[in-house]
């Protein structure tokens, strides 16, 4: 399994379906560490991955309709809370139904 840093690099140069797959890999790998505080500093220190790299993958998935980033009452995006939710509930019901209906 490639490291988080390698996944981010592959994601940045990928195109099409491969980019979508790699974005999910980046987000799921980043979600594994979402309980560590302070989160962004932990990623920078241990994996040499910047905050914007993870956010870029999440925004890409949101743009193509595969991920919904949580928002606060004032409209700000809650990236770490979304990652925590992905860690605890990896497959949402609507996504699961979409996956099973294709069979």
């Amino acid at each position: 399994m490639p490291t988080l840093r390698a996944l981010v690099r592959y994601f940045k140069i990928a195109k099409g379906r491969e980019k979508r797959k790699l974005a999910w890999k980046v987000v799921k790998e980043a979600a594994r560490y979402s309980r560590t505080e302070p989160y962004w500093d932990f990623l920078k220190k241990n994996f040499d991955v910047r905050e914007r790299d993870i956010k870029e993958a999440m925004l890409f998935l949101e743009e193509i309709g595969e991920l919904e980033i949580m928002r606060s009452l004032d409209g700000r995006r809650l990236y770490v809370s979304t990652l925590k939710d992905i860690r605890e509930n990896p497959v949402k019901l609507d996504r699961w139904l979409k996956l099973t209906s294709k069979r």
Side-chain angles (χ1 to χ4, degrees):
M1 172 96 181
T3 64
L4 183 58
R5 181 178 167 93
L7 287 172
V8 167
R9 285 183 174 178
Y10 296 148
F11 164 74
K12 287 184 176 188
I13 61 172
K15 303 251 190 266
R17 287 185 178 189
E18 188 64 25
K19 187 168 184 117
R20 183 180 60 84
K21 286 181 187 177
L22 287 168
W24 271 116
K25 285 182 181 181
V26 167
V27 169
K28 287 179 182 178
E29 185 66 22
R32 291 179 58 197
Y33 308 103
S34 61
R35 292 279 179 212
T36 309
E37 295 291 334
Y39 179 69
W40 301 116
D41 294 335
F42 174 80
L43 289 184
K44 178 69 176 157
K45 181 180 174 186
N46 293 309
F47 300 104
D48 197 27
V49 173
R50 293 177 295 212
E51 178 179 345
R52 70 178 178 186
D53 297 331
I54 305 300
K55 289 180 178 182
E56 185 180 324
M58 293 176 75
L59 288 170
F60 172 76
L61 289 171
E62 187 176 51
E63 286 174 10
I64 63 173
E66 297 228 354
L67 176 69
E68 186 177 340
I69 299 173
M70 293 181 189
R71 298 190 187 275
S72 65
L73 292 176
D74 63 358
R76 297 181 69 204
R77 291 182 178 102
L78 303 172
Y79 294 99
V80 178
S81 296
T82 304
L83 289 170
K84 286 178 185 176
D85 188 47
I86 289 170
R87 180 175 182 230
E88 293 166 4
N89 306 306
V91 178
K92 297 285 185 191
L93 179 61
D94 58 337
R95 193 163 155 242
W96 180 81
L97 290 172
K98 197 183 326 178
L99 291 173
T100 58
S101 66
K102 291 180 181 178
R103 293 181 184 170

